[in-house]
């Protein structure tokens, strides 16, 4: 079973391999009372990736390592600069399925193969405070890299690594770095040992030009053929993108960001990281809304079928999320009630009701992420980004084309809000307000995509649509809560329990909906006065 460790570290350049790598006296670092020599550990790590290095391109590393006190399989996922989550699994001969699943959105159905072997002699020192508590581990690593696939050759170097102790203050690393810099030690230009190894052992142009023998060339040709086969069903690394200029450039930048968010959030969703499901779901909605709002830029005969798949994915992601939010609302409402208004086992029934609806949904979601339909969707999005179905308007200046699309969405919001305000309270108004909320969300996303091109007016519209969306969302929450309370009251009555409390909660939810409906005219008047972009 895999476990996770948050790793906060910095890497520094050492002298050439074989030379000395003197460290300054680190007892001078503020807070350090002692430096404990922990000896030298011999580490042997084999790194795995696809033939075209999709993991390395995404700054992910997957290795099998022996030696040291953490032998096993390690998958490192970037969190921010100098911060990574290391997912660990026990030693085995093949890549653990748990770790393969966490990189599925990157590799799709491509094979993971050994690409680099690193042999390191790690000279370890512990920095401790006056109580003997570990502050950081400093190591001097003498490394030898051997290319196993996609090239040939070897490289050697020395580097210094400073890793913060668990739950340590990241500011402590600044103090250590200040001391190292004074000693002439500078940050490494490579983000990781693997990145340096791949760069230092990459095939050189001169070697490709003819310094290798005929047999070597034929061997490399076979490898290229193998790579071609391996990449037929998954995305290849994309080249850097130039700054957006046209309307199409701006919208494609936004589309690419949402595609990237889905792929990057996949491991977090699988690990059940808080808010990850919601964030992935938002990315799918943003993509789908963008396709619909900017049909003059991206051909909808191509994007509409993709939109159907995105709607499906959002629904799958929402199974747990919707139930979780609904339970939170009901629990908060129950907590707000005076104790003398709570009759019967209301909390227990709420817990049972919520649990029954979540049963098995987690396993179902993982099955969805491992399924062909989802992986095909990711590949389709890659193809869309690589070969976008641009319309004629995509080549025009963004100020005109994008602004027109946003204004069109805003008008639809205005029509739906106006329709809702004309209806009497009841189910028809509830439905109209829900439709207005969905359209406000779409307009918000359209304005988000437009902000880099249109500036402050689009940013202001994002804020106003978010405010309207929140207000209408409160109303829809009340509608959903009341429906659930009716269901709970029926179950309680059939079980012979007192249903009084459910009626009280229903009345309070009804009052909240009425308050939203009363506030809507004023809210909309302010937004309408501001106008669109």
């Amino acid at each position: 079973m895999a476990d996770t460790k948050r790793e906060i570290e910095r890497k520094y350049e050492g002298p050439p391999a074989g030379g000395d790598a003197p460290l300054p006296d680190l007892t001078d670092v503020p807070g350090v009372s002692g430096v404990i020599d922990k000896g030298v550990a011999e580490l042997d790590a084999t790194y795995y990736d696809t033939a075209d290095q999709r993991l390395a391109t995404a700054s992910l590393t997957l290795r099998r390592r022996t030696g040291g006190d953490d032998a096993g399989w390690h998958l490192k996922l970037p969190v921010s600069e100098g911060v990574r989550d290391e997912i660990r699994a026990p030693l085995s001969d093949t890549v653990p399925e748990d770790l393969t699943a966490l990189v599925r959105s990157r590799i799709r159905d491509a094979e993971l193969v050994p690409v680099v072997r690193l042999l390191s002699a790690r000279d370890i020192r512990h920095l401790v405070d006056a109580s003997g508590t570990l502050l950081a581990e400093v190591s001097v690593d003498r490394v030898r890299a051997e290319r196993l696939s996609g090239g040939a050759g070897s490289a050697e170097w020395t580097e210094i690594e400073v890793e913060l102790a668990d739950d340590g203050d990241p500011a402590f690393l600044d103090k250590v770095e200040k001391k190292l810099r004074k000693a002439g030690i500078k940050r490494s230009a490579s983000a990781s040992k693997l990145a340096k190894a791949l760069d230092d052992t990459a095939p050189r142009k001169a070697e490709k030009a003819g310094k290798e023998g005929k047999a070597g060339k034929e061997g490399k040709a076979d490898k290229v053929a193998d790579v071609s086969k391996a990449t037929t069903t998954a995305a290849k690394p994309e080249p850097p993108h130039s700054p957006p200029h046209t309307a199409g450039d701006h919208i494609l930048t936004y589309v690419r960001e949402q595609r990237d968010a889905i792929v990057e959030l996949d491991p977090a969703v699988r690990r059940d990281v808080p808010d990850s499901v919601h964030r992935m779901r938002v990315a799918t909605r943003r993509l789908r809304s963008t396709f619909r709002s900017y049909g003059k830029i991206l051909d909808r005969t191509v994007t509409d079928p993709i939109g159907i798949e995105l709607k499906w994915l959002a629904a799958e992601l929402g199974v747990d999320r919707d139930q979780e939010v609904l339970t939170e609302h009901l629990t908060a409402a129950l907590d707000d009630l005076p104790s003398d208004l709570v009759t019967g086992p209301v909390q227990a029934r709420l817990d049972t009701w919520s649990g029954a609806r979540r049963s098995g949904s987690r396993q179902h979601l993982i099955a969805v992420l491992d399924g062909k339909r989802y992986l095909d969707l990711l590949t389709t999005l890659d193809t869309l980004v690589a070969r976008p179905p641009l319309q004629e308007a995509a080549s025009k200046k963004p100020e005109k084309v994008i602004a027109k699309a946003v204004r069109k969405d805003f008008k639809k919001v205005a029509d739906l809000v106006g329709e809702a305000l004309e209806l009497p309270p009841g189910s028809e108004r509830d439905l109209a307000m829900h439709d207005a909320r969905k359209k406000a969300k779409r307009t918000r996303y359209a304005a988000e995509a437009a902000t880099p091109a249109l500036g402050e007016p689009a940013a202001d519209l994002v804020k106003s649509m978010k405010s309207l969306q929140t207000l209408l969302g409160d109303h829809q929450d009340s509608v959903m809560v009341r429906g659930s309370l009716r269901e709970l009251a029926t179950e309680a009555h059939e079980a012979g329990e007192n249903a009084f409390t459910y009626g009280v909660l229903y009345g309070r939810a009804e009052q909240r909906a009425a308050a939203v409906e009363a506030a809507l005219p004023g809210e909309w008047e302010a937004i309408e006065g501001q106008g669109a972009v």
Side-chain angles (χ1 to χ4, degrees):
M1 185 67 181
D3 58 67
T4 304
K5 180 182 183 297
R6 176 61 57 89
E7 180 184 82
I8 303 175
E9 65 179 20
R10 297 180 187 178
K11 296 181 183 294
Y12 302 87
E13 294 183 0
D20 294 330
L23 288 171
D25 183 3
L26 297 176
T27 57
D28 292 344
V29 175
V32 175
S33 294
V35 179
I36 303 173
D37 188 341
K38 304 298 289 186
V40 177
E42 299 293 336
L43 308 176
D44 186 346
T46 300
Y47 287 78
Y48 286 70
D49 204 338
T50 60
D52 55 354
Q53 297 177 15
R54 290 175 205 153
L55 299 188
T57 301
S59 300
L60 306 179
T61 60
L62 173 63
R63 72 186 179 202
R64 182 187 188 274
R65 190 169 78 180
T66 58
D69 58 4
D70 64 346
W73 286 90
H74 306 150
L75 171 64
K76 298 193 178 191
L77 306 172
V79 176
S80 58
E81 184 179 359
V83 182
R84 295 186 291 183
D85 278 343
E86 183 176 272
I87 318 298
R88 298 176 175 178
L91 277 176
S92 61
D93 293 335
T94 57
V95 182
E97 180 56 36
D98 285 353
L99 300 190
T100 302
L102 292 176
V103 296
R104 187 90 65 203
S105 65
R106 299 287 184 183
I107 68 172
R108 315 294 161 77
D109 60 356
E111 182 184 4
L112 289 168
V113 297
V115 291
V116 166
R117 183 184 185 192
L118 297 184
L119 301 171
S120 304
R122 169 164 289 183
D123 191 357
I124 304 169
R125 295 164 178 80
H126 283 182
L127 308 186
V128 298
D129 64 14
S131 67
T133 300
L134 179 65
L135 299 172
E137 179 177 284
V138 180
S139 63
V140 179
D141 296 346
R142 291 177 172 83
V143 187
R144 176 178 173 79
E146 300 174 355
R147 191 72 170 238
L148 302 178
S149 64
S154 62
E156 295 184 6
W157 70 90
T158 300
E159 70 177 37
I160 298 166
E161 190 174 288
V162 183
E163 181 174 349
L164 189 68
D166 293 346
D167 302 319
D169 182 359
F172 178 70
L173 295 182
D174 294 331
K175 299 175 182 178
V176 177
E177 179 162 314
K178 185 177 181 181
K179 184 67 175 179
L180 294 177
R181 285 187 176 277
K182 284 184 178 180
I185 298 170
K186 60 182 181 179
R187 287 273 195 108
S188 174
S190 299
S192 67
K193 287 183 177 67
L194 175 62
K196 181 171 178 59
L198 290 172
D199 184 57
D200 288 356
T201 63
R204 298 294 183 252
K205 291 181 179 179
E207 295 173 338
K208 291 183 177 181
K211 288 189 175 182
E212 297 176 332
K214 183 178 180 181
K217 287 184 178 180
E218 290 173 350
K220 286 195 173 186
D222 291 340
K223 288 182 180 179
V224 170
D226 290 341
V227 170
S228 178
K229 292 177 183 177
T231 57
T232 54
T233 56
K236 298 179 182 179
E238 295 173 14
H241 303 286
S242 58
H245 296 291
T246 65
D249 291 339
H250 281 280
I251 300 310
L252 281 175
T253 296
Y254 190 74
V255 167
R256 190 178 298 111
E257 288 171 354
Q258 308 318 313
R259 186 278 313 266
D260 291 349
I262 294 172
V263 173
E264 291 166 6
L265 284 165
D266 180 291
V269 171
R270 293 174 186 271
R271 294 163 55 206
D272 204 16
V273 173
D275 202 41
S276 59
V277 170
H278 173 62
R279 290 165 60 201
M280 182 187 277
R281 193 182 187 193
V282 168
T284 65
R285 286 173 166 172
R286 282 177 167 143
L287 261 180
R288 183 165 173 257
S289 292
T290 301
F291 293 157
R292 298 176 71 184
S293 295
Y294 293 105
K296 294 293 185 181
I297 294 174
L298 295 173
D299 186 352
R300 288 195 58 174
T301 62
V302 176
T303 62
D304 278 357
I306 303 175
I308 292 172
E309 294 304 285
L310 290 168
K311 183 178 182 180
W312 160 78
L313 179 58
E316 296 288 5
L317 292 166
V319 171
D320 263 0
R321 175 65 182 171
D322 290 344
Q323 182 62 40
E324 180 184 345
V325 170
L326 193 53
T327 301
E328 288 173 357
H329 283 305
L330 288 166
T331 300
L334 183 60
D335 290 343
D336 284 343
L337 277 186
S339 58
D340 59 341
L341 294 181
V342 180
T343 59
V346 181
Q347 185 63 63
R349 177 157 296 283
L350 176 58
D351 292 342
T352 301
W353 173 83
S354 178
R357 280 152 184 77
R358 292 198 58 166
S359 178
S361 58
R362 178 76 195 156
Q363 292 81 353
H364 174 73
L365 179 55
I366 298 302
V368 166
L369 298 183
D370 284 335
K372 185 177 184 299
R373 185 174 182 180
Y374 167 70
L375 296 176
D376 284 349
L377 171 58
L378 296 185
T379 301
T380 300
L381 290 174
D382 291 338
T383 302
L384 177 84
V385 168
R387 297 190 295 276
L390 297 175
Q391 302 272 61
E392 182 180 350
S395 62
K396 297 181 179 179
K397 292 182 178 181
E399 292 80 3
K400 182 177 181 180
V401 178
I402 292 178
K404 183 177 180 180
V406 175
R407 286 194 295 269
K408 183 178 179 181
D409 277 350
F410 183 81
K411 184 179 184 305
K412 291 178 181 178
V413 176
D415 291 343
L416 287 169
V417 171
E419 177 185 334
L421 291 176
E422 291 176 358
L423 292 169
S427 59
E428 286 190 24
R429 173 181 271 195
D430 292 344
L431 184 60
M433 292 179 70
H434 182 47
D435 288 342
R437 173 177 174 262
K438 290 189 291 185
K439 196 65 68 176
K441 187 184 299 184
R442 174 174 157 183
T443 305
R444 172 189 166 189
Y445 295 153
E448 282 180 356
T451 297
L454 305 183
E456 189 174 343
D460 289 342
L461 183 59
V462 171
K463 293 177 184 178
S464 62
M465 288 297 99
K466 185 176 181 179
S467 176
L468 178 63
Q469 179 187 331
T470 298
L471 183 68
L472 295 174
D474 290 343
H475 186 273
Q476 179 62 16
D477 288 342
S478 169
V479 173
M480 299 301 295
V481 163
R482 280 178 280 162
S484 298
L485 287 169
R486 283 193 294 267
E487 185 179 338
L488 283 163
T490 299
E491 291 180 3
H493 177 74
E494 291 175 350
E497 299 166 7
N498 192 321
F500 169 78
T501 301
Y502 303 104
V504 174
L505 291 172
Y506 188 98
R508 289 191 167 200
E510 205 169 35
Q511 288 176 344
R512 285 193 294 274
V516 170
E517 293 178 22
L520 180 58
E523 175 84 7
W524 178 247
E525 184 178 354
I527 292 173
E528 196 172 29
Q530 175 183 312
V533 296

